[in-house]
Every structure is written in structure tokens, then in C-alpha cells.
Amino acid sequence: MMTSTGVAAIPTEPKSDSIAPSNANSATTTQVQYRKVPVPPHRFTPVKSSWPELYQPLVKQLKLQVRMNPKSRCIELKTSSYTTDPSSLQKGTEFIKAFLLGFSISDSLSILRLDELFIESFEISDVKELKGDHLSRAIGRIAGKDGKTKFTIENATKTRIVLADSKVHILGSFQNIRLARDAVVSLILGTPPGKVYNKLRTVAARLNERF
């Protein structure tokens, strides 16, 4: 469906799930809370195509009201009389932010299931100032051929990694993020992938013993 301005409208959830004006006569005694999450231009299309998968867990699991505002290009979240968990709004916000950073829906959903998961983001330039071909090679070392190096780090440290230009986003527990970041930093600084793999095997063995 096209709007009068020619912009494709984002499909919205049923009326009962949309954010409605506050009712002063509402029976709920809890204070309504509201969050607005800006959608970066390059993630607007993925949000449109994945909208049903995005809003359903927010509405059904967290009991939040949610809508996409095409004019402000923000996803708006709001608690309601059905919201029972005080942390629902924060969890919902983190879930949306994870998807906007580039994590898949399934990986982002893990934030709703597990309380100990976090996201850490950093620039490659925070580790070493690289430009041009040197920066491209550093990104290539992190990804590896066909993504092999990135997958190896993820599997060994039980994390998920997103490479977005010169930014690195890591999803996982606090300790596992630190292990994954150490591996990524080593690759940025020029450590051969073989040495990083050997260290990761040791890390993976320790994690498997612990769990």
C-alpha cells in the first residue's frame, strides 16, 4: 500500500496491539512507560520485511504495545495494563536494538529468554588506526574466507558477531564477549588466524568443561 507521499506504508499489527492514547480512567495503577527506538536508514527495509517477526514477541511475550512510525522512522514501545514484568520495556528495547545492529531475529530473541546476555560494540579504529586497504584487510581477517574465522570465534566463545563496516558488535554473556573480543582484537593487530584458532580451541575446551 502506498501513501499519498509515495512512501510505502509499513504493515501494522491489529488495533488492539497499537499504541493508543492514555486513558485517564484506566484501571491500572502502574505508570505507563514509553520508549522510542530510531531506525537507521540502512535498516528500514529489513524492519519492513521482518515486521511480523519483530512485533509478535513484543506483544505476545512481553505484553507491550508497539508500532512503527514511518514519519519519524522510529519503533515506539509502550507498557500497558497487561504488562506484568517491570523489565519488559527494557528487554523489548534491547531486542529491537539488537536487530537494528544486524543480528538475526533468532539471535535477537535470545535477549528476551536470557537475562545475562549483553551487546558490546566497538570500532576497529579503537584498537588500531587503520585506513583504506589496511582497514579492508583487517575486516577480511576477522571474517575469514566465506566467514569461516567469524564462525569459528562465535562457536568457540558461544557468541554472535556482526561486522558492520568498521564496527564490530558482539552478543553474548559478559565473559564470553571478552573472549570473543580478545580474538577479534588479535586479528586486527595482525595475529595469524592459525594462532587465533589454536587459542580458541583451548578456550572452547575450557567452556565445555565448565558447562
Side-chain angles (χ1 to χ4, degrees), residues 123-132 134-135 138 166 188-189:
E123 296 263 4
I124 290 177
S125 59
D126 294 339
V127 179
K128 187 176 182 180
E129 191 65 39
L130 298 172
K131 295 181 180 179
H134 295 290
L135 177 60
S166 62
I188 293 173
L189 294 176

mmCIF file of all heavy atoms in Angstrom, residues 123-132 134-135 138 166 188-189:
data_model
loop_
_atom_site.group_PDB
_atom_site.id
_atom_site.type_symbol
_atom_site.label_atom_id
_atom_site.label_comp_id
_atom_site.label_asym_id
_atom_site.label_seq_id
_atom_site.Cartn_x
_atom_site.Cartn_y
_atom_site.Cartn_z
ATOM 1 N N GLU A 123 34.672 0.149 17.533
ATOM 2 C CA GLU A 123 35.219 0.450 16.209
ATOM 3 C C GLU A 123 36.589 -0.206 16.066
ATOM 4 O O GLU A 123 37.348 -0.299 17.043
ATOM 5 C CB GLU A 123 35.365 1.962 16.025
ATOM 6 C CG GLU A 123 34.060 2.737 16.035
ATOM 7 C CD GLU A 123 33.548 3.004 14.630
ATOM 8 O OE1 GLU A 123 34.183 2.512 13.659
ATOM 9 O OE2 GLU A 123 32.526 3.687 14.512
ATOM 10 N N ILE A 124 36.897 -0.643 14.856
ATOM 11 C CA ILE A 124 38.222 -1.210 14.612
ATOM 12 C C ILE A 124 39.292 -0.170 14.924
ATOM 13 O O ILE A 124 40.372 -0.492 15.432
ATOM 14 C CB ILE A 124 38.329 -1.699 13.155
ATOM 15 C CG1 ILE A 124 37.436 -2.935 12.960
ATOM 16 C CG2 ILE A 124 39.773 -2.018 12.782
ATOM 17 C CD1 ILE A 124 37.409 -3.467 11.549
ATOM 18 N N SER A 125 38.996 1.102 14.664
ATOM 19 C CA SER A 125 39.957 2.177 14.943
ATOM 20 C C SER A 125 40.204 2.352 16.439
ATOM 21 O O SER A 125 41.194 2.974 16.829
ATOM 22 C CB SER A 125 39.468 3.497 14.338
ATOM 23 O OG SER A 125 38.197 3.854 14.870
ATOM 24 N N ASP A 126 39.297 1.824 17.294
ATOM 25 C CA ASP A 126 39.536 1.874 18.735
ATOM 26 C C ASP A 126 40.713 0.982 19.119
ATOM 27 O O ASP A 126 41.366 1.196 20.142
ATOM 28 C CB ASP A 126 38.291 1.407 19.506
ATOM 29 C CG ASP A 126 37.117 2.362 19.338
ATOM 30 O OD1 ASP A 126 37.364 3.529 18.997
ATOM 31 O OD2 ASP A 126 35.964 1.942 19.551
ATOM 32 N N VAL A 127 40.952 -0.033 18.287
ATOM 33 C CA VAL A 127 42.046 -0.980 18.544
ATOM 34 C C VAL A 127 43.324 -0.523 17.853
ATOM 35 O O VAL A 127 44.402 -0.484 18.446
ATOM 36 C CB VAL A 127 41.659 -2.400 18.053
ATOM 37 C CG1 VAL A 127 42.808 -3.382 18.287
ATOM 38 C CG2 VAL A 127 40.391 -2.873 18.723
ATOM 39 N N LYS A 128 43.181 -0.155 16.579
ATOM 40 C CA LYS A 128 44.335 0.288 15.796
ATOM 41 C C LYS A 128 43.850 1.195 14.681
ATOM 42 O O LYS A 128 42.858 0.880 14.013
ATOM 43 C CB LYS A 128 45.074 -0.934 15.202
ATOM 44 C CG LYS A 128 46.375 -0.583 14.508
ATOM 45 C CD LYS A 128 47.075 -1.846 14.034
ATOM 46 C CE LYS A 128 48.417 -1.513 13.376
ATOM 47 N NZ LYS A 128 49.120 -2.743 12.909
ATOM 48 N N GLU A 129 44.511 2.299 14.489
ATOM 49 C CA GLU A 129 44.107 3.254 13.460
ATOM 50 C C GLU A 129 44.491 2.714 12.093
ATOM 51 O O GLU A 129 45.674 2.639 11.743
ATOM 52 C CB GLU A 129 44.792 4.610 13.704
ATOM 53 C CG GLU A 129 44.245 5.731 12.854
ATOM 54 C CD GLU A 129 42.795 6.068 13.170
ATOM 55 O OE1 GLU A 129 42.438 6.054 14.369
ATOM 56 O OE2 GLU A 129 42.031 6.315 12.228
ATOM 57 N N LEU A 130 43.491 2.301 11.325
ATOM 58 C CA LEU A 130 43.711 1.724 10.001
ATOM 59 C C LEU A 130 42.838 2.452 8.986
ATOM 60 O O LEU A 130 41.711 2.842 9.282
ATOM 61 C CB LEU A 130 43.369 0.231 9.997
ATOM 62 C CG LEU A 130 44.181 -0.677 10.918
ATOM 63 C CD1 LEU A 130 43.581 -2.070 10.947
ATOM 64 C CD2 LEU A 130 45.636 -0.731 10.465
ATOM 65 N N LYS A 131 43.366 2.603 7.781
ATOM 66 C CA LYS A 131 42.610 3.261 6.721
ATOM 67 C C LYS A 131 42.807 2.519 5.409
ATOM 68 O O LYS A 131 43.772 1.775 5.226
ATOM 69 C CB LYS A 131 43.054 4.719 6.572
ATOM 70 C CG LYS A 131 42.757 5.600 7.779
ATOM 71 C CD LYS A 131 43.197 7.031 7.552
ATOM 72 C CE LYS A 131 42.887 7.908 8.770
ATOM 73 N NZ LYS A 131 43.333 9.321 8.559
ATOM 74 N N GLY A 132 41.871 2.745 4.491
ATOM 75 C CA GLY A 132 41.999 2.197 3.136
ATOM 76 C C GLY A 132 42.125 0.693 3.107
ATOM 77 O O GLY A 132 41.366 -0.042 3.747
ATOM 78 N N HIS A 134 44.355 -1.214 4.380
ATOM 79 C CA HIS A 134 44.721 -1.817 5.665
ATOM 80 C C HIS A 134 43.463 -2.126 6.478
ATOM 81 O O HIS A 134 43.365 -3.186 7.123
ATOM 82 C CB HIS A 134 45.635 -0.872 6.458
ATOM 83 C CG HIS A 134 46.960 -0.634 5.805
ATOM 84 N ND1 HIS A 134 47.930 -1.616 5.713
ATOM 85 C CD2 HIS A 134 47.469 0.472 5.191
ATOM 86 C CE1 HIS A 134 48.980 -1.130 5.088
ATOM 87 N NE2 HIS A 134 48.733 0.143 4.749
ATOM 88 N N LEU A 135 42.480 -1.229 6.433
ATOM 89 C CA LEU A 135 41.214 -1.462 7.137
ATOM 90 C C LEU A 135 40.456 -2.611 6.492
ATOM 91 O O LEU A 135 39.920 -3.482 7.194
ATOM 92 C CB LEU A 135 40.366 -0.184 7.106
ATOM 93 C CG LEU A 135 38.966 -0.280 7.736
ATOM 94 C CD1 LEU A 135 39.054 -0.670 9.204
ATOM 95 C CD2 LEU A 135 38.216 1.039 7.580
ATOM 96 N N ALA A 138 41.960 -5.870 7.522
ATOM 97 C CA ALA A 138 41.629 -6.206 8.911
ATOM 98 C C ALA A 138 40.221 -6.805 9.000
ATOM 99 O O ALA A 138 40.000 -7.803 9.697
ATOM 100 C CB ALA A 138 41.736 -4.972 9.801
ATOM 101 N N SER A 166 33.221 -0.645 9.670
ATOM 102 C CA SER A 166 34.364 -0.658 10.578
ATOM 103 C C SER A 166 33.949 -0.912 12.025
ATOM 104 O O SER A 166 34.754 -0.775 12.936
ATOM 105 C CB SER A 166 35.122 0.675 10.494
ATOM 106 O OG SER A 166 34.282 1.748 10.889
ATOM 107 N N ILE A 188 42.832 -8.052 14.378
ATOM 108 C CA ILE A 188 43.005 -6.663 13.927
ATOM 109 C C ILE A 188 44.478 -6.255 14.010
ATOM 110 O O ILE A 188 45.004 -5.571 13.126
ATOM 111 C CB ILE A 188 42.147 -5.706 14.778
ATOM 112 C CG1 ILE A 188 40.655 -5.956 14.527
ATOM 113 C CG2 ILE A 188 42.484 -4.245 14.469
ATOM 114 C CD1 ILE A 188 39.734 -5.179 15.451
ATOM 115 N N LEU A 189 45.140 -6.715 15.065
ATOM 116 C CA LEU A 189 46.551 -6.352 15.274
ATOM 117 C C LEU A 189 47.504 -7.154 14.396
ATOM 118 O O LEU A 189 48.714 -6.925 14.439
ATOM 119 C CB LEU A 189 46.913 -6.546 16.750
ATOM 120 C CG LEU A 189 46.198 -5.597 17.731
ATOM 121 C CD1 LEU A 189 46.563 -5.941 19.173
ATOM 122 C CD2 LEU A 189 46.533 -4.146 17.424
#
